[in-house]
Amino acid sequence: MTVLSQTALLHELEPVVEKNLDRHLSLAKEWFPHEYVPWSEGRTFDGPLGGEPWTEADSTLPEVARTALIVNLLTEDNLPSYHHEIASLFGRDGAWGTWVHRWTAEEGRHGTAIRDYLTVTRAVDPVALERARMVHMSAGYRNTHDDEVLHSLAYVSFQELATRISHRNTGRATADPICEALLARVAADENLHMVFYRNLLGAAFELAPSQAMRAVADVLADFQMPGVGIEGFARKSVAIALAGIYDLRQHRDEVVVPVLRQWNLFEATGLDADGEAARDQIAAHLATLETQASRFEERRAARAARLTPA
């Protein structure tokens, strides 16, 4: 079976990119970050303008919601690195290039809107947030498979859906209708991005089924959210998971399984030996995720029982 080069894959998939770009543009809704921020609640901070310093009492949001918002925002902040990654891989010409720039522009709104909301509502310490941004962006981001088209498409197919779920659940956790509406709007963008990438890899399963299967198996085996480099990410992720904002059960049942189902991955034909081996690895990974998710749910329930007053 012929193995397609990265250049050949980009060339063969370009008509699919063009079709899905047209689809995306027909469905994407124009929206404006400033319309989702309660500007009248804002007041000047301390510093050169002599306002009031931030205090913990300024925030009305639950602590775990603030943690999730910070993680979500810092993840969005690394957009220059993400743009570099996809522009370097997909190129800046033709339909691929048009998509790269459109995706970047849409993602840029997310960071703007969330940061403005957090600052105006004094939801988080702005000094700590800015310092965390500098640390995180200074480290940058690099995709594990940044020179492989199908691996990158597989990764973003899962990651964009995971991000959508995280934003939606974070909005609910804030118990603030304004923040929930903002993050629902952001999540809608992320869903369209997921569909775009998912459709491209779906086409790749028809074009090069074994290569696509291997890409999915490799990505799932070592999947990490792009915010993994955030300082204290492991601790923050545990808090987010304990709150049910994004946990292993959601990762398996609401991200991995639905995407695999859309690709009809377990019914794919025309696989070579490595493609078949990759599919077996995916099945084994799903079983492992099920075990891990069940154990986490049991530990979370036991923890909640310990913390509940008698």
Side-chain angles (χ1 to χ4, degrees), residues 31 33 36-37 110 113-114 117 177-187:
W31 65 279
Y36 289 83
V37 179
H110 302 167
I114 297 171
Y117 168 83
I178 295 174
C179 188
E180 187 169 355
L182 165 59
L183 293 186
R185 182 58 263 172
V186 170

Side-chain angles (χ1 to χ4, degrees), residues 137-187:
M137 288 191 68
S138 294
Y141 171 79
R142 184 167 185 176
N143 183 357
T144 304
H145 304 282
D146 61 359
D147 59 345
E148 296 169 338
V149 174
L150 299 188
H151 283 75
S152 296
L153 290 177
Y155 175 76
V156 288
S157 295
F158 296 116
Q159 178 265 319
E160 294 279 7
L161 182 51
T163 303
R164 184 199 86 179
I165 291 169
S166 178
H167 280 308
R168 285 302 301 266
N169 290 341
T170 298
R172 295 187 184 107
T174 66
D176 177 6
I178 295 174
C179 188
E180 187 169 355
L182 165 59
L183 293 186
R185 182 58 263 172
V186 170

Side-chain angles (χ1 to χ4, degrees), residues 103-127:
W103 176 87
T104 301
E106 291 184 1
E107 289 287 349
R109 285 190 300 213
H110 302 167
T112 297
I114 297 171
R115 181 177 304 281
D116 284 348
Y117 168 83
L118 293 179
T119 304
V120 168
T121 62
R122 291 182 170 244
V124 301
D125 181 349
V127 173

Side-chain angles (χ1 to χ4, degrees), residues 83 85 100 128 130 144 159 163 192 196 205 217 222 267 270 286 299:
H83 174 85
E85 289 286 293
V100 166
E130 176 60 11
T144 304
Q159 178 265 319
T163 303
L192 286 178
F196 179 91
F205 267 104
D222 190 31
E267 288 75 45
L286 283 177
R299 291 197 300 269

Side-chain angles (χ1 to χ4, degrees), residues 20-298:
N20 279 275
L21 176 60
D22 289 342
R23 177 189 181 277
H24 178 84
L25 294 175
S26 73
L27 295 174
K29 291 182 170 58
E30 183 180 46
W31 65 279
F32 304 98
H34 73 273
E35 295 180 344
Y36 289 83
V37 179
W39 299 100
S40 60
E41 293 183 17
R43 62 186 191 273
T44 305
F45 286 94
D46 59 330
L49 301 184
E52 302 172 35
W54 184 86
T55 68
E56 192 79 23
D58 287 342
S59 180
T60 60
L61 301 184
E63 183 177 357
V64 71
R66 282 188 280 161
T67 297
L69 279 163
I70 291 168
V71 169
N72 290 354
L73 175 55
L74 292 179
T75 299
E76 300 283 358
D77 275 336
N78 243 350
L79 183 59
S81 280
Y82 310 146
H83 174 85
H84 175 76
E85 289 286 293
I86 66 172
S88 298
L89 181 61
F90 298 152
R92 298 171 183 269
D93 301 320
W96 281 108
T98 302
W99 167 254
V100 166
H101 294 301
R102 173 72 189 201
W103 176 87
T104 301
E106 291 184 1
E107 289 287 349
R109 285 190 300 213
H110 302 167
T112 297
I114 297 171
R115 181 177 304 281
D116 284 348
Y117 168 83
L118 293 179
T119 304
V120 168
T121 62
R122 291 182 170 244
V124 301
D125 181 349
V127 173
L129 180 63
E130 176 60 11
R131 287 172 176 165
R133 186 188 71 85
M134 290 295 293
V135 170
H136 186 49
M137 288 191 68
S138 294
Y141 171 79
R142 184 167 185 176
N143 183 357
T144 304
H145 304 282
D146 61 359
D147 59 345
E148 296 169 338
V149 174
L150 299 188
H151 283 75
S152 296
L153 290 177
Y155 175 76
V156 288
S157 295
F158 296 116
Q159 178 265 319
E160 294 279 7
L161 182 51
T163 303
R164 184 199 86 179
I165 291 169
S166 178
H167 280 308
R168 285 302 301 266
N169 290 341
T170 298
R172 295 187 184 107
T174 66
D176 177 6
I178 295 174
C179 188
E180 187 169 355
L182 165 59
L183 293 186
R185 182 58 263 172
V186 170
D189 281 357
E190 304 289 14
N191 193 64
L192 286 178
H193 298 163
M194 178 274 294
V195 171
F196 179 91
Y197 290 124
R198 188 190 68 192
N199 288 351
L200 260 61
L201 196 63
F205 267 104
E206 299 178 11
L207 181 67
S210 294
Q211 286 175 260
M213 194 71 73
R214 170 50 57 197
V216 173
D218 290 348
V219 165
L220 286 179
D222 190 31
F223 183 84
Q224 293 180 314
M225 292 293 278
V228 68
I230 294 171
E231 197 170 21
F233 182 78
R235 173 177 51 79
K236 291 178 171 66
S237 295
V238 170
I240 289 167
L242 287 172
I245 293 172
Y246 193 83
D247 58 26
L248 280 169
R249 174 61 62 197
Q250 289 156 324
H251 178 68
R252 183 193 185 279
D253 293 358
E254 299 179 33
V255 175
V256 176
V257 170
V259 173
L260 296 182
R261 186 183 300 120
Q262 283 290 327
W263 291 327
N264 292 316
L265 181 143
F266 291 109
E267 288 75 45
T269 57
L271 299 175
D272 60 18
D274 184 62
E276 293 286 2
R279 179 155 59 186
D280 290 343
Q281 290 170 20
I282 293 167
H285 182 72
L286 283 177
T288 298
L289 278 178
E290 174 61 36
T291 300
Q292 293 173 337
S294 296
R295 287 175 179 168
F296 177 79
E297 289 171 325
E298 291 170 3

